[in-house]
Amino acid sequence: AVPYQPKPDAPVNFYGVAISTSGIQWNWQAPVSAGEDGYRVRSPKFPASGGVQSQYDVIIATLSVDTTDWLETGLMLNTSYYRYVEAYNVSGSSRSEVVSCWTLANPPAGALVVSRQSSVVEIQWLANGNPAYTRWGVFRSTDNFNTSTNTVTNFSANYTSTAIVVTDLSANTSYWFKI
């Protein structure tokens, strides 16, 4: 008789960290119970109605039992990826929650001041290969970002233009900008 082996518990604390424009480090903790033969990182397929996972998932990587992280490379820049990890053995598998992580964007290129007045400046930059939906953050400082930093627009503002007009500047004051 073959002894019964229950399916393993699900991995916990699954998350991704963008490490480059083309790579994400996926991390998790092993399930509390032992018994897994390994892990599979999967990409869920979502139906057009969204949100509900279908049965047609894709295995991205199959990993050994002692693994609790995996570096996924060859991804597109500034793109969101959804993944989950499952622990498996001969009796079945248990999965983590589905999480998403974005790869990094390229830094902007060619930033320059295209016009200025005493209290207004217009700055433009190149997207540098980033997709049109790239969100930009713009910050200003009066001391080259040593202690003074003010947010002109942050990433959560969904600012996707590659130009901005900054107002309310003080005359005869030097400003530094970061995009």
Side-chain angles (χ1 to χ4, degrees), residues 98-140:
V98 174
V99 300
S100 67
C101 185
W102 287 79
T103 52
L104 298 177
N106 283 326
L112 58 101
V113 173
V114 294
S115 69
R116 69 181 172 97
Q117 297 171 0
S118 63
S119 64
V120 178
V121 65
E122 181 180 0
I123 303 168
Q124 291 182 351
W125 59 92
L126 301 173
N128 195 16
N130 288 303
Y133 57 77
T134 299
R135 296 177 185 178
W136 302 101
V138 180
F139 307 91
R140 76 175 183 211

Side-chain angles (χ1 to χ4, degrees), residues 136-150:
W136 302 101
V138 180
F139 307 91
R140 76 175 183 211
S141 172
T142 56
D143 66 359
N144 201 12
F145 298 96
N146 289 319
T147 60
S148 163
T149 300
N150 294 31

Side-chain angles (χ1 to χ4, degrees), residues 37 58 83 100 104 179:
D37 292 335
V58 176
R83 301 288 185 259
S100 67
L104 298 177
I179 302 165

Side-chain angles (χ1 to χ4, degrees), residues 23-169:
I24 296 174
Q25 178 78 38
W26 300 102
N27 304 277
W28 61 92
Q29 290 178 326
V32 174
S33 64
E36 65 271 9
D37 292 335
Y39 299 98
R40 290 186 286 245
V41 178
R42 291 182 171 257
S43 175
K45 296 292 183 178
F46 295 102
S49 61
V52 179
Q53 181 180 331
S54 77
Q55 63 189 18
Y56 304 107
D57 293 358
V58 176
I59 296 174
I60 304 296
T62 300
L63 306 162
S64 67
V65 69
D66 59 345
T67 305
T68 56
D69 62 73
W70 176 64
L71 176 60
E72 183 174 7
T73 60
L75 303 174
M76 294 176 51
L77 76 103
N78 198 16
T79 301
S80 178
Y81 289 89
Y82 290 84
R83 301 288 185 259
Y84 68 90
V85 64
E86 66 181 0
Y88 71 91
N89 65 20
V90 296
S91 297
S93 64
S94 297
R95 58 172 245 180
S96 69
E97 294 293 319
V98 174
V99 300
S100 67
C101 185
W102 287 79
T103 52
L104 298 177
N106 283 326
L112 58 101
V113 173
V114 294
S115 69
R116 69 181 172 97
Q117 297 171 0
S118 63
S119 64
V120 178
V121 65
E122 181 180 0
I123 303 168
Q124 291 182 351
W125 59 92
L126 301 173
N128 195 16
N130 288 303
Y133 57 77
T134 299
R135 296 177 185 178
W136 302 101
V138 180
F139 307 91
R140 76 175 183 211
S141 172
T142 56
D143 66 359
N144 201 12
F145 298 96
N146 289 319
T147 60
S148 163
T149 300
N150 294 31
T151 302
V152 176
T153 184
N154 65 25
F155 302 102
S156 65
N158 201 24
Y159 192 82
T160 58
S161 176
T162 55
I164 193 163
V165 175
V166 181
T167 59
D168 298 326
L169 301 176

